[in-house]
Amino acid sequence: MTTIPSQSTGPGKQQMLLDPGMDLTLRPMRYPHFFDRFKDAIKNTWTVEEVDLHGDLADLAKLSPAEQHLVSRLVAFFATGDTIVANNLVLNLYQHVNSPEGRLYLSRQLFEEAVHVQFYLNLLDTYVPDLAERTAAFSAVENIPSIARKAEFCFKWIDSIYEMRSLQTREDRRAFLLNVICFAACIEGLFFYGAFAYVYFLRSRGVLQGLASGTNWVFRDESMHMAFAFDVVDTVRAEEPGLFDAEMAQQVRDMLAEAVECEVQFAADLLDQGISGMSLPDMREYLQHVADRRLAVLGIEPMYGSGNPFAFMELQDVQELSNFFERRVSAYQVGVTGSVSFDDDF
Amino acid sequence: MPVKQVMRVLKRNGDSEPVDVNKIVKAVELWVADLDEVDPLRVATRTISGLYDGATTAELDKLSIQTAAELTGEEPQYSKLAARLLAAFVDKEVRGQGVASFSQSIRYAHQQGLVGDSTAEFVARNARKLDVAIDPSGDLRFEYFGLRTVADRYLLRHPDTRLVVETPQYWLLRVACGLSQTANEAIGFYKLMSSLAYLPSSPTLFNSGTRHTQMSSCFLVDSPKDELDSIYERYHQVAKLSKFSGGIGISWSRVRGRGALIRGTNGRSNGIVPFLKTLDAGVAAVNQGGRRKGAACVYLEPWHPDIEEFLDLRDNTGEDSRRTHNLNLANWIPDEFMRRVEADGDWSLIDPSDAPELPDLFGDEFDLAYRAAEKNAVKTVKARDLYGRMMRTLAQTGNGWMTFKDPSNRLSNQTGRPGNTIHLSNLCTEILEVNTNDETAVCNLGSINLGAHLRDGDVDWEKLRATVRTAVVFLDRVIDINYYPAEQAAASNPRWRPVGLGLMGLQDAFFTLGLPFDSAAAKELSTRVQEDIYLTALEASAGLAEQFGPHPAYQETRASDGALHPDLWGATVSQTERWATLKERVATTGLRNSLLIAIAPTATIASIAGCYECIEPQVSNLFKRETMSGEFLQINTYLVRELKARGLWTAPVREQIRRAEGSVQGITELPADVRELFRTAWELPQKALIDLAAARAAFIDQSQSLNLFMSVPTIGKVSSMYLYAWKAGLKTTYYLRSRPATRIQQATVAVLPALTPAPQAEADAEALACSLENPESCEACQ
């Protein structure tokens, strides 16, 4: 990609986030909140080696066939999910978010997606010792219909702006916003949040702690990705009021409705053999509830009015306290700053 | 939500029948006599909503337990309900194997090779008396998390079917019988445990009465000698100790550092890190009978040449062959180091092969030897730079605990004669005992639940003393019955007979009595309680010495010179007459135990007892526990009671608390004094925690597991805090707890008003730094 400095803007016209170009100027910083997100993300660096999967193998053997089916479908989804998100980031987002501090965050996000890919790679290598089965799991997007359906949805939205080299018109920018919203609200915000529920369901039953702790860190990252994407959307809306109009709101609703249906058919596959404590109607209600929340962030009226049926999801909203004899504590920060002093308040 | 027409369940005999909501309601109603806030129909309908067609009745039972437990966040009584449904489930499982009484359960478990011969015989001899001693209402006292933990990990299981072969009450009586000489003694001890007023530590609860009666919690292994055979002997010893549930502290200060000459081969040493990597793998490989993972803490003195690499061992980046993800790390710090930090002086790193005597010295002798060895220093650093690195490790990993060698030795009953040195603390920094190459120190522990010793707005002092007396007898008993997995441990324990009587539920007492954690009254009470516990424990130990004689190494202790622990501190005591009488008694009879008090973290047994951990403030009014048994929502029942009394226990208030991650500081409807009482560990000044610990320290002859809390640590704050802790005279500290910089987006609290206007460039920079860099401490945003 060539580096095209931003078109110089006259004193009367303020430069905007989606203006075509490759802005290189960090000072004065136009979007310090993007930079803060970048710094915060660095503090939560984790590595795959920290996740201890050895207890999971014993658990896997103990699971019922119905639960094993659920887990094998779930990890097959994970095998490719983060790679898809990373591709969209590189192919679409990085190109058009024309702010060096925003691109810093996206670079960091790309690194995190790569760590997630590595984590799930390691997970599958550990969970699926049989080479043929492992190959099948990694090609789930092709041969497992419920996963292929979700992948199709993602590719459709990647392709929607893939040909666009720069955002020249209002329509271009609208198409771009829809892509951002799709990845934030539908893919990271719904597909992954669906997966989130299965993992936490298992964890609330005390099994697959390794999967849960790694996924916990993955979701901590994903939450930040989503927040950044919505921050981009808010920023663009503030800079160009009227861009996000009633027609676009309707497009978002349609897109989310389709995503919910994709995820429900995936749930129907996962829960096919009956899982006590996680019924398909409850899962549908949960997905609708999550979709309503995404709409709320965008300032759109809820479509479903559904509540959260899963009490174990409430557990994710409170502080954790691990017994260190049993679990590795995940609550620490990296990148602590300052120098030795003896009179600070504490 | 409406139930679909034809949902069926599969019964144990293979028949299927339609799910009947009334049947579930009836099963729940059996247990709710004293739980007026529980709605059985709600539990039943929610259970059915999660069910699938064709589920088994066992799945249905389990789901109803889980469903009840999940309602705890709205109403704490559901935790009791879930516990009772679980107790009924366990009871059914035990009875289903033809076990109808305590003595039958012991006989059955003995046949399966689980219970030891002597306990089986003891129970057979006293069967009738013991069987009627079982308190059927005992299970009603458990909260769900406690009983779940018991059921998943403490109850004995059939080796093949994995079904539990004892009920919770049978388990406690089995533990008591394993330590008793008469039926009455066993019944007395059982009643104390069943009331949840006192519990011995997990290894005792796991193993008492079984075939492998390893009941000690802590082992303190001296550093391997600076030679290969000794290092590999230590791996073996650690593995054996770990296998039977012991937590390991091990020093590594005697082993030469990287670059030191190895004469035998004329090569250069790779230092201690590769050896610790091997230890790391060894510890991970041993899982304690599937009940918990092995755990060890490595201690190193800060003059060791590899100290800087040591501090990096827990980093999550860098070369993985130089990282130990399973080991805990602690610094064993001489005062000389802290003095140089304060004075901004230099600090010499010295190879142990050049000064092999350093680990055995403390006080002036250490200072002299260290200064003499400095001329051969491998490297010189600024003391403050090294201290700063220690602080960074603490802030980034919570590990690298600060423990202080000189006060630990100076203020110990065991170090009264030359050659007796404490070389390290243990896995949880509350045990301080001498050891040598051939003697591995051992300690068995138990903790008093202070919350269960209150009456009429005060501590029930007589009850507390009675508990201490019983506890000391049974802690002492463990020493003789214990199975020692390593000969070095068997060599030490009978000589010194140390025990560690601890305390838990201090926060419960403060809540009940309405004392904010940092109030003067709280400090006064905590000190008075500790003085009384220690005094009573010493009296009990003197009583045992009258019966059985003092412990064999008594003549080596400071007590034999007439100095008891408060004398070493020069502390003022409040019960002067009792202390004077005790001293006279000790002068003639000696003591049965060289050490008596240690405040352990009580992570698991506090859960079983349903109280707050050891001497700690609450971490949050609403949090979850993650353990091998799953995740559990924990809510502050004292707060719920307070809110209910004010008519404030409403859905919006609950939502506010959830949004604020368990803080009530933003609930303006609560008066200031109530908000002050219900502050969390993150909201309390840490100075107060240190001051409380220092004030009670004169009455703790070992030490205390003192965690410190800082949401967003900086090097400046942390370094100030630990200098203060050292100056306050603390012997040891434990984890530095902090909170993640970012968090998973909350999934169940309402989305805040949508579309806040995007911040304008460079405006509001201050507000942004506050909300994004300090998500935890900024009240405005919560």
Side-chain angles (χ1 to χ4, degrees):
Chain A
M1 189 178 290
T2 52
T3 304
I4 311 159
S6 291
Q7 295 143 359
S8 101
T9 49
K13 182 175 184 287
Q14 203 191 336
Q15 196 184 331
M16 297 203 287
L17 184 60
L18 298 186
D19 284 348
M22 200 45 77
D23 186 4
L24 302 173
T25 321
L26 276 163
R27 291 282 181 229
M29 192 176 280
R30 288 187 298 146
Y31 306 102
H33 46 116
F34 292 165
F35 188 65
D36 287 333
R37 289 184 183 282
F38 168 68
K39 287 190 298 184
D40 267 350
I42 288 173
K43 287 186 201 152
N44 268 338
T45 301
W46 60 281
T47 64
V48 172
E49 287 72 21
E50 288 175 279
V51 183
D52 181 357
L53 293 172
H54 88 268
D56 287 17
L57 291 179
D59 287 345
L60 281 173
K62 280 187 301 192
L63 296 182
S64 69
E67 289 163 336
Q68 284 178 348
H69 171 75
L70 184 154
V71 171
S72 79
R73 281 290 190 270
L74 191 59
V75 296
F77 166 69
F78 283 137
T80 42
D82 284 281
T83 309
I84 292 177
V85 173
N87 286 356
N88 190 60
L89 197 165
V90 175
L91 297 175
N92 294 326
L93 299 186
Y94 194 93
Q95 188 165 197
H96 301 302
V97 173
N98 188 15
S99 130
E101 57 274 23
R103 286 184 174 119
L104 277 179
Y105 182 82
L106 288 171
S107 311
R108 168 70 196 190
Q109 181 181 341
L110 189 62
F111 162 76
E112 289 172 355
E113 303 293 0
V115 172
H116 302 172
V117 171
Q118 187 204 359
F119 171 64
Y120 289 114
L121 175 67
N122 193 36
L123 185 87
L124 261 83
D125 286 353
T126 309
Y127 276 23
V128 190
D130 183 89
L131 284 180
E133 279 179 46
R134 201 185 287 169
T135 308
F138 278 103
S139 55
V141 277
E142 280 132 40
N143 55 30
I144 298 174
S146 63
I147 295 178
R149 174 76 191 84
K150 291 210 286 187
E152 249 170 58
F153 175 86
C154 300
F155 294 141
K156 181 174 89 183
W157 286 99
I158 291 182
D159 292 348
S160 67
I161 60 168
Y162 178 57
E163 297 297 328
M164 244 176 247
R165 306 315 296 162
S166 64
L167 307 178
Q168 297 295 346
T169 67
R170 183 168 183 272
E171 282 318 305
D172 290 353
R173 289 190 293 277
R174 286 161 62 96
F176 175 79
L177 272 196
L178 279 176
N179 173 285
V180 174
I181 290 168
C182 177
F183 273 80
C186 299
I187 295 169
E188 296 189 296
L190 190 80
F191 290 177
F192 285 14
Y193 266 69
F196 199 4
Y198 300 109
V199 172
Y200 286 146
F201 167 75
L202 292 166
R203 175 157 76 172
S204 74
R205 264 59 176 173
V207 293
L208 303 182
Q209 307 280 357
L211 171 65
S213 56
T215 304
N216 204 26
W217 289 339
V218 169
F219 283 115
R220 194 167 66 186
D221 295 342
E222 296 297 347
S223 293
M224 295 302 119
H225 302 171
M226 206 163 72
F228 174 81
F230 284 126
D231 197 351
V232 167
V233 174
D234 285 352
T235 304
V236 172
R237 286 174 77 172
E239 288 179 350
E240 193 176 351
L243 186 67
F244 191 111
D245 55 12
E247 184 198 344
M248 190 155 165
Q250 187 54 43
Q251 286 170 317
V252 170
R253 270 192 287 267
D254 293 344
M255 176 201 288
L256 259 165
E258 189 187 345
V260 167
E261 286 319 305
C262 277
E263 192 59 29
V264 167
Q265 60 91 34
F266 181 61
D269 179 2
L270 264 65
L271 303 174
D272 183 34
Q273 299 174 34
I275 300 286
S276 173
M278 198 171 219
S279 64
L280 186 58
D282 279 359
M283 189 67 201
R284 177 186 286 275
E285 195 184 350
Y286 167 76
L287 293 168
Q288 292 174 341
H289 166 73
V290 174
D292 277 350
R293 295 172 64 87
R294 303 296 170 249
L295 291 172
V297 171
L298 293 165
I300 303 175
E301 286 294 299
M303 276 194 292
Y304 301 101
S306 295
N308 166 44
F310 291 143
F312 55 81
M313 290 306 293
E314 287 172 17
L315 287 170
Q316 310 320 318
D317 290 352
V318 297
Q319 279 183 60
E320 66 176 292
L321 184 68
S322 294
N323 180 340
F324 86 103
F325 274 114
E326 307 186 359
R327 301 281 303 274
R328 187 166 294 146
V329 180
S330 64
Y332 290 96
Q333 313 200 344
V334 300
V336 174
T337 55
S339 54
V340 171
S341 132
F342 301 128
D343 43 18
D344 280 25
D345 267 349
F346 54 89
Chain B
M1 67 182 291
V3 182
K4 283 158 273 97
Q5 55 285 32
V6 283
M7 182 93 77
R8 298 182 74 82
V9 281
L10 206 59
K11 299 208 296 184
R12 286 181 172 84
N13 64 13
D15 295 349
S16 83
E17 65 175 24
V19 177
D20 182 357
V21 76
N22 294 317
K23 254 182 136 169
I24 305 177
V25 170
K26 279 202 190 112
V28 171
E29 276 173 345
L30 284 176
W31 301 109
V32 296
D34 58 333
L35 306 178
D36 50 347
E37 304 277 352
V38 163
D39 176 0
L41 183 62
R42 182 131 183 258
V43 177
T45 49
R46 280 188 71 143
T47 301
I48 290 175
S49 152
L51 208 60
Y52 66 97
D53 191 28
T56 64
T57 48
E59 281 181 307
L60 175 64
D61 288 347
K62 283 187 193 163
L63 189 55
S64 65
I65 296 168
Q66 189 80 32
T67 304
E70 287 171 350
L71 290 166
T72 304
E74 277 174 47
E75 169 49 57
Q77 285 186 2
Y78 282 100
S79 159
K80 279 253 157 56
L81 171 65
R84 293 169 190 186
L85 293 172
L86 175 61
F89 186 86
V90 168
D91 210 64
K92 215 191 276 181
E93 195 165 306
V94 173
R95 313 243 168 262
Q97 296 163 84
V99 170
S101 68
F102 170 67
S103 56
Q104 285 176 15
S105 134
I106 291 292
R107 197 181 323 141
Y108 184 52
H110 182 242
Q111 283 161 8
Q112 306 305 327
L114 301 169
V115 161
D117 294 343
S118 60
T119 300
E121 280 160 29
F122 175 83
V123 172
R125 263 201 322 276
N126 299 287
R128 219 158 42 92
K129 211 166 176 186
L130 293 170
D131 283 346
V132 298
I134 288 291
D135 174 7
S137 65
D139 289 350
L140 300 180
R141 287 186 276 270
F142 286 110
E143 297 290 339
Y144 177 64
F145 177 51
L147 193 63
R148 177 96 252 168
T149 306
V150 168
D152 286 357
R153 287 186 290 147
Y154 288 77
L155 302 183
L156 293 176
R157 282 178 185 273
H158 190 287
D160 304 321
T161 64
R162 307 312 289 170
L163 296 173
V164 292
V165 300
E166 57 187 0
T167 68
Q169 298 303 312
Y170 293 176
W171 157 64
L172 290 174
L173 186 52
R174 184 253 297 166
V175 169
C177 287
L179 289 168
S180 294
Q181 287 158 348
T182 68
N184 284 342
E185 202 184 58
I187 291 166
F189 190 37
Y190 158 70
K191 291 208 159 131
L192 178 62
M193 291 189 288
S194 178
S195 75
L196 304 177
Y198 169 83
L199 285 174
S201 67
S202 289
T204 304
L205 292 173
F206 283 146
N207 298 330
S208 177
T210 67
R211 270 190 200 282
H212 285 291
T213 52
Q214 196 306 96
M215 296 183 274
S216 299
S217 300
C218 314
F219 297 91
L220 282 69
V221 184
D222 191 13
S223 167
K225 290 189 278 183
D226 189 24
E227 59 188 46
L228 215 51
D229 285 354
S230 178
I231 292 171
Y232 276 78
E233 182 282 320
R234 290 297 193 272
Y235 295 147
H236 189 196
Q237 191 182 149
V238 165
K240 285 188 291 186
L241 296 173
S242 224
K243 176 176 173 185
F244 293 102
S245 318
I248 315 289
I250 182 165
S251 165
W252 218 267
S253 298
R254 300 182 198 276
V255 179
R256 74 191 71 186
R258 187 212 271 275
L261 183 67
I262 303 169
R263 292 201 179 278
T265 59
N266 198 27
R268 296 266 168 197
S269 169
N270 285 320
I272 65 173
V273 169
F275 288 119
L276 294 177
K277 182 74 184 171
T278 304
L279 182 68
D280 184 56
V283 165
V286 179
N287 97 358
Q288 307 182 335
R291 287 180 287 211
R292 52 191 198 185
K293 275 193 274 190
C297 177
V298 179
Y299 283 76
L300 196 70
E301 298 198 36
W303 46 259
H304 194 282
D306 292 351
I307 183 72
E308 288 162 307
E309 293 175 49
F310 176 77
L311 292 171
D312 290 342
L313 283 171
R314 289 283 298 229
D315 280 10
N316 61 4
T317 54
E319 194 190 348
D320 208 52
S321 66
R322 306 190 72 79
R323 298 289 175 265
T324 58
H325 302 295
N326 301 291
L327 295 180
N328 294 286
L329 311 174
N331 295 299
W332 185 240
I333 297 181
D335 284 348
E336 180 71 2
F337 176 72
M338 295 305 288
R339 285 191 294 263
R340 294 200 192 181
V341 168
E342 235 194 327
D344 199 13
D346 286 341
W347 180 249
S348 308
L349 304 186
I350 296 164
D351 199 86
S353 58
D354 293 330
E357 69 283 10
L358 290 182
D360 295 318
L361 303 177
F362 62 90
D364 296 340
E365 286 182 52
F366 172 85
D367 297 344
L368 289 173
Y370 175 76
R371 284 171 206 151
E374 283 189 284
K375 60 181 180 295
N376 293 323
V378 175
K379 187 178 168 186
T380 302
V381 297
K382 298 291 287 179
R384 273 190 194 176
D385 290 350
L386 181 55
Y387 183 65
R389 273 190 91 146
M390 290 173 176
M391 296 301 109
R392 184 173 303 276
T393 299
L394 269 167
Q396 293 186 346
T397 70
N399 243 277
W401 307 325
M402 299 296 275
T403 61
F404 300 106
K405 176 183 187 173
D406 286 316
S408 294
N409 275 285
R410 201 169 57 240
L411 304 168
S412 169
N413 189 37
Q414 291 186 332
T415 51
R417 300 290 177 273
N420 289 345
T421 308
I422 298 173
H423 296 106
L424 74 161
S425 182
N426 65 319
L427 179 58
C428 310
T429 73
E430 84 281 25
I431 302 298
L432 291 169
E433 297 175 2
V434 297
N435 62 2
T436 63
N437 185 53
D438 307 313
E439 285 191 10
T440 288
V442 183
C443 203
N444 42 286
L445 310 173
S447 294
I448 296 166
N449 177 359
L450 188 62
H453 292 85
L454 302 175
R455 209 179 58 182
D456 308 331
D458 192 8
V459 171
D460 184 341
W461 297 100
E462 273 318 308
K463 185 178 177 188
L464 182 64
R465 286 167 200 157
T467 300
V468 172
R469 285 191 286 265
T470 308
V472 168
V473 167
F474 282 95
L475 286 169
D476 180 70
R477 191 74 58 76
V478 170
I479 297 167
D480 299 316
I481 301 177
N482 208 33
Y483 163 76
Y484 293 99
E487 60 188 57
Q488 294 89 340
S492 152
N493 215 25
R495 247 165 58 71
W496 295 99
R497 302 186 71 88
V499 299
L501 177 60
L503 185 70
M504 56 187 173
L506 181 66
Q507 173 76 87
D508 296 76
F510 287 169
F511 281 146
T512 303
L513 304 176
L515 305 178
F517 219 95
D518 52 347
S519 63
K523 186 162 91 179
E524 203 267 329
L525 182 78
S526 126
T527 310
R528 205 145 56 91
V529 163
Q530 201 53 53
E531 179 182 351
D532 211 286
I533 290 175
Y534 186 42
L535 186 48
T536 312
L538 283 167
E539 288 167 352
S541 185
L544 288 171
E546 274 156 22
Q547 279 183 277
F548 306 110
H551 65 90
Y554 178 69
Q555 288 308 326
E556 299 175 41
T557 63
R558 295 187 199 269
S560 74
D561 301 334
L564 295 179
H565 198 63
D567 303 326
L568 306 182
W569 283 82
T572 324
V573 297
S574 69
Q575 306 189 46
T576 38
E577 273 178 43
R578 259 179 94 193
W579 279 104
T581 315
L582 170 75
K583 267 196 179 173
E584 280 172 31
R585 197 171 158 198
V586 169
T588 55
T589 64
L591 289 165
R592 186 69 179 151
N593 312 92
S594 63
L595 298 166
L596 285 154
I597 306 290
I599 301 204
T602 69
T604 320
I605 58 171
S607 306
I608 295 173
C611 64
Y612 287 98
E613 289 171 31
C614 66
I615 45 162
E616 253 175 37
Q618 64 161 348
V619 176
S620 173
N621 288 291
L622 177 71
F623 65 100
K624 67 176 166 185
R625 287 188 177 280
E626 295 181 11
T627 73
M628 284 177 173
S629 294
E631 294 185 309
F632 303 86
L633 194 66
Q634 303 275 288
I635 188 151
N636 179 347
T637 52
Y638 302 95
L639 173 70
V640 174
R641 207 172 302 155
E642 185 71 41
L643 288 169
K644 276 185 179 168
R646 293 166 190 274
L648 283 170
W649 185 239
T650 58
V653 168
R654 286 199 291 273
E655 166 119 351
Q656 270 190 67
I657 298 175
R658 267 218 315 259
R659 189 187 298 286
E661 295 197 72
S663 168
V664 296
Q665 299 312 305
I667 302 179
T668 43
E669 296 95 319
L670 275 178
D673 61 321
V674 178
R675 273 183 279 160
E676 191 189 7
L677 180 64
F678 291 110
R679 275 171 302 164
T680 68
W682 310 106
E683 294 160 347
L684 285 166
Q686 298 304 295
K687 220 169 225 165
L689 269 59
I690 295 171
D691 290 343
L692 252 75
R696 72 169 82 86
F699 306 107
I700 297 174
D701 54 12
Q702 302 204 54
S703 190
Q704 33 192 335
S705 300
L706 179 73
N707 282 320
L708 294 169
F709 300 82
M710 197 175 278
S711 287
V712 184
T714 64
I715 302 299
K717 282 186 193 183
V718 176
S719 51
S720 302
M721 184 163 79
Y722 282 94
L723 188 83
Y724 183 81
W726 171 67
K727 287 200 160 171
L730 293 190
K731 295 178 182 177
T732 60
T733 64
Y734 196 25
Y735 277 92
L736 175 66
R737 302 260 185 210
S738 62
R739 302 172 85 177
T742 62
R743 51 158 303 145
I744 296 175
Q745 192 182 76
Q746 293 185 317
T748 60
V749 300
V751 179
L752 281 173
L755 200 64
T756 44
Q760 290 306 303
E762 305 225 283
D764 283 340
E766 211 172 329
L768 273 168
C770 149
S771 64
L772 294 173
E773 301 213 313
N774 267 344
E776 315 298 352
S777 66
C778 175
E779 291 187 7
C781 319
Q782 297 194 23

